[in-house]
Amino acid sequence: MIKLIERAKNWPERTAIKDQGKAFSYSELLQKSQSIAIHLLGTETDLSEQRVAFMVRPGFDYVAVQWGVWQAGGIAVPLCVDHPLPSLQYVIENTNARTLIVHQEYEQLLKPLVAERDLQFYIVEEFPKVEKINPLPTFPDSRRAMILYTSGTTNLPKGVVTTHQNIQYQIRTLIDAWGWDMNDHILNVLPLHHVHGIINVISCALWSGACVEFIPKFKADAVFKRFKKGEINVFMAVPTVYYKLISYWNNQDERTQKELSNIFSNFRLMVSGSAALPVSVLEDWKKISGHTLLERYGMTEIGMALSNPYRGERRPGHVGQPLPGVDIRLVGEDGVVVKEGEQGEIQVKGPNVFKEYWQNPEATVQSFTDGWFRTGDMAIWNEGAYRILGRNSVDIIKSGGYKISALEIEEVLRTHPTIKDCGVVGLANEEWGEIVAASLVCPGQKPNLKALNEWLKTKLPSYKIPRQYIFQEDLPRNTIGKVTKKALQRCFQD
Ligand code: MLC
Ligand code: AMP
């Protein structure tokens, strides 16, 4: 039994989703998702963990497809709607998905792949309604439910597998901690191929019998426009989104600023996460909205782990305490738990922690020690709250809340005919957290950078494209010839 979906039967008439001005009830969501499940099953009685990839815009259809896949017993593989074909192809091939569901607008892009891999192909808009719902499969909560792709210290993203039980725990720990209620109304502006949007925003809202509203794409003016209607009372986003909302507010005249600031008296909760929240952003947002952002810490592999309190002191620059049911320890380089006030790697244990990296037992084993998941994030326990100090790998970049592997970008750059070698690093940036920067070694003719970026866009998602370049005769290296990324970062400052 999938608890999240079962619970929807308790409040069939309530509004579950608002999408492009249209309201959909929980009963409509159940009906549509069950119809999709029946179509996916065809003559089978259970998809038995078959992977179903879907490229569907955030909105009613997205949730209906996700719930449809789950009710048919399949594993949901959400694809990013902004990714270029090679990134989509990688996920479809890596999961060995046999079925692909898309919004009509993505049909042309994915058509070659459908033919090549002989995929079972559905267009969401064309799923006919099923009047009679046959019994749907039943299975234990230990069944695999979802695969989300995350960049790591290897060049290609890894598939993070969570079970229904993991997802349930990830949701439930936030419901009490953040006081979710059926009268809540949240606006989603986040992409739906990552836990922030999938778990924290849509699944928590739907678990509670609350309403989740979608706008097609994040735009500061569109967000304020929705806020102005006075219905929304919960908001969650990455620091870059708050930065952009602050910039928008700063650019308004005084009267409009006052008008916009008045909107926030309706809100009960505003959360920031997925990247470090600069104290300046927290303070500016407080001046504008009167709200102290609740900063929390999480990861695709674990959902949320640490959170400032819903009631109580939210300390700027800190991520609070462990969420209920989540065990945390800080471990030093020697593998020993550190003393209070010393820094160590955050390690996590609990039913929220993912099952495995998809078909990658080696990486799964390496990421655990004594049953604790090694996050690769460094932190310190400082007078009653955790403070994140950064990552223990310079090859992982966080930009706009997206995790990016420097190695993946380097691999692609090296395939360009003019580039002999390259080094990619993240550079601190107020708006994006970090921006991607690349040093290129081009012994012959240097590439035109605009053309290079256009070429990269056909291979990588836009947020992975370097925003700054330098040319070097060779990359900075240590005595054994390894590129020293810290020194490379300094080269950009020079
Ligand atoms: C886009 N641009 C960037 C950029 N991304 N510039 C620098 N660095 C980046 N990373 C540029 C584009 O080239 C474009 O420039 C302009 O910004 C607008 O592009 P866009 O694609 O329209 O961007 P926008 O929609 O404004 O994106 C900003 C954003 C997005 C913050 C909404 O990055 C986003 O949705 N981030 C959230 C990611 C997320 O959900 N992460 C959670 C992971 S889970 P030009 O010149 O062409 O106009 C996780 C666990 C946890 O981390 O704890 O939650
Ligand atoms: P992802 O792999 O995309 O799920 O990103 C997870 C990573 O985001 C974590 O490992 C952290 O490095 C980072 N992160 C999430 N929340 C925070 C936060 N509040 N402060 C600093 N880093 C964060």
Side-chain angles (χ1 to χ4, degrees), residues 150-151 194-195 272-277 295-301 319 375 377 388 391 398 401-403:
T150 186
S151 292
H194 284 305
V195 290
S272 171
S274 302
L277 175 67
E295 185 176 7
R296 57 45 175 195
Y297 160 87
M299 198 173 179
T300 307
E301 286 88 337
V319 289
T375 61
D377 289 309
I388 308 287
R391 296 196 55 89
K398 262 268 161 168
Y402 281 113
K403 197 193 231 181

Side-chain angles (χ1 to χ4, degrees), residues 262-480:
N262 284 338
I263 298 168
F264 294 104
S265 55
N266 282 339
F267 280 73
R268 74 163 184 86
L269 175 65
M270 308 194 97
V271 179
S272 171
S274 302
L277 175 67
V279 174
S280 59
V281 172
L282 177 136
E283 284 170 351
D284 288 351
W285 189 251
K286 183 157 189 189
K287 274 185 219 142
I288 289 172
S289 70
H291 287 265
T292 303
L293 289 171
L294 184 156
E295 185 176 7
R296 57 45 175 195
Y297 160 87
M299 198 173 179
T300 307
E301 286 88 337
I302 59 176
M304 298 304 111
L306 297 165
S307 170
N308 272 284
Y310 177 54
R311 293 188 181 83
E313 189 208 0
R314 297 179 190 168
R315 200 168 336 146
H318 291 70
V319 289
Q321 300 80 30
L323 281 157
V326 181
D327 285 333
I328 297 283
R329 67 179 194 181
L330 297 185
V331 177
E333 272 177 27
D334 54 2
V336 177
V337 174
V338 301
K339 294 200 194 83
E340 195 171 332
E342 287 176 4
Q343 67 177 66
E345 183 194 38
I346 305 177
Q347 298 189 351
V348 185
K349 206 184 213 178
N352 55 308
V353 176
F354 76 125
K355 183 179 175 67
E356 63 194 354
Y357 290 114
W358 177 249
Q359 293 190 336
N360 197 341
E362 210 174 296
T364 307
V365 168
Q366 275 171 13
S367 68
F368 284 88
T369 172
D370 304 332
W372 291 81
F373 173 67
R374 305 166 56 177
T375 61
D377 289 309
M378 303 301 290
I380 192 166
W381 174 254
N382 179 26
E383 293 177 8
Y386 284 95
R387 179 178 172 78
I388 308 287
L389 301 171
R391 296 196 55 89
N392 61 13
S393 166
V394 275
D395 284 323
I396 291 179
I397 301 167
K398 262 268 161 168
S399 188
Y402 281 113
K403 197 193 231 181
I404 298 166
S405 161
L407 306 180
E408 182 186 1
I409 302 168
E410 288 167 6
E411 286 275 300
V412 176
L413 281 170
R414 280 194 203 100
T415 65
H416 192 271
T418 64
I419 299 172
K420 182 173 159 231
D421 202 1
C422 63
V424 168
V425 288
L427 302 179
N429 180 276
E430 222 192 332
E431 179 171 7
W432 298 97
E434 287 181 290
I435 54 161
V436 178
S439 166
L440 307 179
V441 178
C442 306
Q445 195 177 6
K446 293 189 173 99
N448 170 300
L449 293 178
K450 210 167 159 217
L452 178 65
N453 274 355
E454 288 309 312
W455 176 82
L456 278 174
K457 274 188 199 161
T458 64
K459 304 183 180 301
L460 290 170
S462 143
Y463 55 84
K464 294 184 183 173
I465 308 293
R467 308 284 154 176
Q468 218 171 308
Y469 286 101
I470 52 171
F471 290 98
Q472 290 185 300
E473 276 180 23
D474 194 9
L475 303 167
R477 292 174 194 278
N478 62 16
T479 46
I480 55 163

Side-chain angles (χ1 to χ4, degrees), residues 5-16:
I5 300 174
E6 269 313 294
R7 287 173 62 87
K9 295 178 186 159
N10 295 333
W11 32 74
E13 304 309 327
R14 295 187 62 80
T15 299

Side-chain angles (χ1 to χ4, degrees), residues 41-115:
L41 282 165
T43 54
E44 295 177 62
T45 52
D46 186 342
L47 289 189
S48 307
E49 300 191 340
Q50 278 179 47
R51 276 75 62 207
V52 180
F54 55 100
M55 189 162 174
V56 177
R57 278 187 318 274
F60 175 71
D61 287 343
Y62 176 98
V63 184
V65 168
Q66 187 187 53
W67 284 22
V69 175
W70 284 343
Q71 287 171 100
I75 301 181
V77 183
L79 299 170
C80 175
V81 293
D82 294 322
H83 277 187
L85 190 59
S87 310
L88 301 166
Q89 183 167 357
Y90 170 71
V91 172
I92 290 169
E93 284 176 358
N94 193 255
T95 54
N96 197 15
R98 305 297 325 135
T99 307
L100 176 62
I101 307 173
V102 301
H103 261 146
Q104 195 139 35
E105 68 206 75
Y106 307 118
E107 185 183 5
Q108 280 310 318
L109 173 69
L110 289 162
K111 235 181 179 168
L113 206 58
V114 173

Side-chain angles (χ1 to χ4, degrees), residues 31 34-39 41-42 128-136:
Q31 222 168 54
Q34 286 165 353
S35 284
I36 292 173
I38 295 293
H39 281 288
L41 282 165
K129 192 171 161 195
V130 175
E131 292 304 338
K132 185 176 168 293
I133 304 290
N134 300 328
L136 292 165

Side-chain angles (χ1 to χ4, degrees), residues 139-192:
F139 42 79
D141 285 348
S142 55
R143 173 162 295 196
R144 291 170 181 83
M146 187 156 68
I147 306 181
L148 299 180
Y149 276 77
T150 186
S151 292
T153 44
T154 47
N155 62 336
L156 289 170
K158 296 190 290 267
V160 174
V161 179
T162 42
T163 63
H164 287 283
Q165 191 181 32
N166 295 144
I167 291 175
Q168 215 182 100
Y169 271 95
Q170 291 178 3
I171 298 170
R172 286 174 73 166
T173 190
L174 296 181
I175 296 294
D176 290 342
W178 294 350
W180 272 99
D181 184 276
M182 60 161 47
N183 297 313
D184 283 332
H185 190 132
I186 191 167
L187 181 70
N188 180 72
V189 298
L190 295 171
L192 291 183

